[in-house]
Amino acid sequence: RSPSTPAVAVAVNAGAVRSAAAAAATPASAPVSPPPAAAPGGSLLEKLKREALEQKMSESQRFTLQSQQKAFISEALRRAFDYFRELTEQLNVLKPPVPTEYNFLNLATMDGLVWQEGRADFRLLPAASDDRLLEQVTLRYRLHAGRDVKVTRESPAHEAFAAQLMEANIAFDTEEIRNAKNGVERAVFTFPCEVKAGLGLMADYKLGDIRLVLRNVRRFGGATYRVPHDALDHGTLEELAQLLLGQESRFEKMFRRVA
């Protein structure tokens, strides 16, 4: 054997030991963390932006639909006003007979009535200076038979009768018959054989329809109906006009009476 061989082996082993010690002294590198994953659907801010945009679009669409509905209701009232204005212009000239018989509390019958005069009018919403939305349309008219009616009522029923005449919008004169003690025994009521009647079409922009109120039409007293704005067309107005004039009409069967 060569005398130098063991020395080389020792030197190599010593170097290996030093390398191993140095490696043990050096800390291991920390693993690199991946970037945090985005929240499902994007970041919180992006999500809030989308929700705010959707709400703005929803509010805009809702406002557009409400504006369109208001325009439709107002246009329906405008059609009604134009129709009733032309109707009353013709009736005020022709003054046709109205074959309706009005029975007042089974005490007086008003018949032989003739159209005397009528007038259509409208009113705008107070805040409708720009878009001119209509709030209501009215038609008032008077039927007359050219004679007076007399009804005698005993006391104390005469007081209630006077109140009922006023409720029916009937003007009257009263002659009181008194006894020796100056107490009222009975009263004689004299009033014209006429009927003051009319209707009102009121826009209900919250519910999206039209409220129709009839007063002394076909009979003494009132009636209220709900009419969809798209149903207030020429055919409906014709049926309503026929009702006013005492002609055959389907109007009262076409719509729901609410009062």
Side-chain angles (χ1 to χ4, degrees), residues 58-176:
S58 177
E59 291 174 354
S60 176
Q61 291 172 349
R62 185 164 57 250
F63 178 78
T64 300
L65 291 174
Q66 290 174 346
S67 298
Q68 290 177 344
Q69 185 178 63
K70 288 181 178 180
F72 291 150
I73 294 174
S74 183
E75 181 59 30
L77 291 181
R78 176 69 65 177
R79 287 196 304 269
F81 169 73
D82 291 340
Y83 179 91
F84 289 130
R85 180 187 59 189
E86 293 187 24
L87 178 71
T88 54
E89 287 176 355
Q90 312 312 316
L91 295 175
N92 289 345
V93 173
L94 297 172
K95 300 187 184 302
V98 178
T100 303
E101 290 188 1
Y102 285 81
N103 186 297
F104 190 69
L105 304 175
N106 293 323
L107 296 172
T109 299
M110 299 185 181
D111 55 7
L113 298 166
V114 174
W115 181 280
Q116 287 298 300
E117 60 181 352
R119 176 183 173 83
D121 205 349
F122 69 89
R123 186 172 68 197
L124 296 173
L125 276 175
S129 56
D130 295 330
D131 42 19
R132 294 182 63 81
L133 293 176
L134 270 68
E135 182 178 34
Q136 75 172 29
V137 170
T138 57
L139 169 62
R140 296 181 177 87
Y141 62 95
R142 184 167 62 91
L143 310 176
H144 190 69
R147 68 178 190 275
D148 288 339
V149 177
K150 289 184 179 293
V151 174
T152 301
R153 298 293 288 163
E154 302 293 328
S155 178
H158 71 291
E159 295 178 350
F161 187 73
Q164 290 162 331
L165 286 171
M166 289 187 285
E167 175 66 21
N169 199 22
I170 298 175
F172 61 92
D173 293 323
T174 308
E175 179 186 359
E176 295 180 341

Side-chain angles (χ1 to χ4, degrees), residues 149-226:
V149 177
K150 289 184 179 293
V151 174
T152 301
R153 298 293 288 163
E154 302 293 328
S155 178
H158 71 291
E159 295 178 350
F161 187 73
Q164 290 162 331
L165 286 171
M166 289 187 285
E167 175 66 21
N169 199 22
I170 298 175
F172 61 92
D173 293 323
T174 308
E175 179 186 359
E176 295 180 341
I177 311 301
R178 297 180 176 271
N179 55 28
K181 297 181 180 181
N182 202 32
V184 177
E185 288 187 349
R186 61 186 181 277
V188 180
F189 296 87
T190 303
F191 46 92
C193 186
E194 72 173 14
V195 176
K196 296 175 183 177
L199 62 84
L201 289 160
M202 277 71 74
D204 193 331
Y205 288 110
K206 290 184 178 180
L207 294 181
D209 63 3
I210 296 171
R211 185 164 56 95
L212 168 64
V213 178
L214 303 179
R215 182 67 178 170
N216 292 345
V217 174
R218 283 285 177 101
R219 61 190 65 85
F220 287 110
T224 303
Y225 295 84
R226 285 283 180 182

